[in-house]
Amino acid sequence: MISKIPATIITGFLGAGKTTLIRHMLQNAQGRRIALIINEFGDLGVDGDILKGCGDETCREEDVMELSNGCICCTVADDFIPTMEKLLAREDRPDHIVIETSGLALPQPLVRAFNWPGISTQVTVDGVVTVVDGKAVTEGRFAHSVAAVDAQRQLDENLDHETPLSELFEDQIACADMIVVNKTDLLEGAEAEALVGTLRDSSRSGVQVVTTSMGKLPVDVLLGQGIGAEGDLDSRHELHHHHHDHSDEHDHDHDHDAFESFVVTLGEITDPKAFSDQVSTIIGAHDILRLKGFAAVSGKPMRLTLQAVGPRVETYFDQPFSDVERATRLVVIGQAGFDQAAIEAALKSCAAVH
């Protein structure tokens, strides 16, 4: 009998650090060949590009599959199941599957999907990992930028649940087998300890609560939990039931025109720190909610990744450009009516100076 492939579901709000956690996992996979299913959507599949190739043989480019049709829990039948079937049909099947949900996904419907015929006999949910922005939750905001999460919500035309962030957070905690409190470097020791205690009290018995910064979690802690979550749905039921009704009578009043996104292409930059600082200033001046992408730095063969939620910009070099054109590409998300021309001009001016 062929053993089931373990799958880890990683959930958490926009900006909590899911992609950073996965990137660290790939770089320290200890020989495991991992396939990724990424619930990225928008104009630029940055999360997928950040992760492609960063694990070399651990996670090849063809092992990264992106679901770009919106929130994964709302597109299970149309998007997730066919992707899983395609992955399982390969001759060189992976050792482990990791699924990064969008920040708005309800984890319970996704876990439930692993009981579908054809999936249940081949894959098991090794564990559900909920990544928490420790600083934001301590301050009662759940996400570093609530506005950025709302922008993501408005841009997803297939989203059919309007769950308040506080309730969605509770559902993510209720479904978790492990809660990763990220960004603890931004907390005082007493704050981190208090948050860990609160999360332990509000989660199921036996749920692990671990702390980290920059997603640096040992792969043996993250993978290999052996939970079999799809057989344990009763204990992780939704605290707030969300009926994903796709009938014509369902009201999809999301006001998707309230937010806009566009891509800016620039040339090479010379000073990454100065450029990052100036980008942060531009974000604050123009009420940009989310900015992420890549920059080409003069004299550097590696690509610089930029990710910003609100004015906080994180940067790191991830992989060589190889045969890809050396250019700086950034996706910008904001409320409708923001001055795209002014933002693009400011970014181009910044790139020209730095």
Side-chain angles (χ1 to χ4, degrees), residues 63 162 186 236 242 256 258 284 295 318 322 326 333:
D63 292 328
E162 289 287 353
L186 303 179
R236 59 185 80 223
H242 313 280
H256 296 294
D318 66 342
S322 60
R326 289 180 58 86
I333 300 175

Side-chain angles (χ1 to χ4, degrees), residues 241-295:
H241 292 286
H242 313 280
H243 303 289
H244 289 77
D245 180 3
H246 296 276
S247 68
D248 292 337
E249 297 177 356
H250 191 70
D251 183 8
H252 288 262
D253 183 16
H254 298 321
D255 190 21
H256 296 294
D257 296 331
F259 295 86
E260 299 174 355
S261 67
F262 65 100
V263 176
V264 179
T265 301
L266 311 169
E268 295 190 2
I269 64 171
T270 57
D271 187 335
K273 178 63 168 59
F275 181 72
S276 175
D277 290 344
Q278 190 60 36
V279 166
S280 179
T281 300
I282 293 170
I283 288 172
H286 293 277
D287 293 325
I288 295 169
L289 298 174
R290 186 81 165 103
L291 182 148
K292 57 182 178 177
F294 316 101

Side-chain angles (χ1 to χ4, degrees), residues 121-136:
T121 58
Q122 301 184 70
V123 187
T124 182
V125 181
D126 183 63
V128 178
V129 177
T130 296
V131 184
V132 168
D133 182 330
K135 181 68 171 176

Side-chain angles (χ1 to χ4, degrees), residues 68-284:
S68 57
N69 292 329
C71 179
I72 194 170
C73 72
C74 302
T75 59
V76 167
D78 297 331
D79 214 359
F80 175 67
I81 294 297
T83 299
M84 282 291 292
E85 291 173 341
K86 180 180 178 181
L87 183 60
L88 294 172
R90 293 181 178 178
E91 292 184 5
D92 57 339
R93 294 171 22 139
D95 300 319
H96 203 109
I97 300 170
V98 172
I99 302 158
E100 179 191 0
T101 73
S102 81
L104 300 174
L106 304 169
Q108 289 84 350
L110 182 56
V111 174
R112 198 171 293 120
F114 283 84
N115 286 314
W116 280 50
I119 304 298
S120 62
T121 58
Q122 301 184 70
V123 187
T124 182
V125 181
D126 183 63
V128 178
V129 177
T130 296
V131 184
V132 168
D133 182 330
K135 181 68 171 176
V137 174
T138 297
E139 296 175 351
R141 292 179 288 114
F142 303 107
H144 173 68
S145 173
V146 174
V149 175
D150 284 338
Q152 184 185 37
R153 188 197 302 270
Q154 300 294 349
L155 289 169
D156 183 0
E157 296 182 357
N158 288 316
L159 187 72
D160 63 4
H161 60 84
E162 289 287 353
T163 317
L165 290 190
S166 59
E167 295 184 6
L168 179 52
F169 181 79
E170 290 180 41
D171 276 337
Q172 291 178 351
I173 296 300
C175 196
D177 297 297
M178 175 183 291
I179 301 170
V180 177
V181 182
N182 198 24
K183 306 185 183 180
T184 52
D185 54 314
L186 303 179
L187 298 176
E188 298 293 335
E191 290 178 315
E193 186 176 343
L195 177 56
V196 167
T198 299
L199 291 170
R200 282 197 177 120
D201 291 342
S202 59
S203 58
R204 292 173 292 116
S205 176
V207 172
Q208 295 177 301
V209 182
V210 298
T211 60
T212 188
S213 61
M214 294 301 294
K216 294 180 179 178
L217 201 64
V219 68
D220 289 335
V221 172
L222 187 64
L223 307 183
Q225 297 184 54
I227 301 294
E230 71 278 10
D232 182 35
L233 285 165
D234 288 342
S235 70
R236 59 185 80 223
H237 63 279
E238 294 96 327
L239 301 181
H240 310 275
H241 292 286
H242 313 280
H243 303 289
H244 289 77
D245 180 3
H246 296 276
S247 68
D248 292 337
E249 297 177 356
H250 191 70
D251 183 8
H252 288 262
D253 183 16
H254 298 321
D255 190 21
H256 296 294
D257 296 331
F259 295 86
E260 299 174 355
S261 67
F262 65 100
V263 176
V264 179
T265 301
L266 311 169
E268 295 190 2
I269 64 171
T270 57
D271 187 335
K273 178 63 168 59
F275 181 72
S276 175
D277 290 344
Q278 190 60 36
V279 166
S280 179
T281 300
I282 293 170
I283 288 172

Side-chain angles (χ1 to χ4, degrees), residues 20 22-30 54-55 58 316-318:
T20 303
I22 294 172
R23 176 181 168 79
H24 183 268
M25 174 201 68
L26 292 177
Q27 293 174 332
N28 299 273
Q30 299 177 358
C54 74
T58 295
Y316 56 86
F317 289 98
D318 66 342

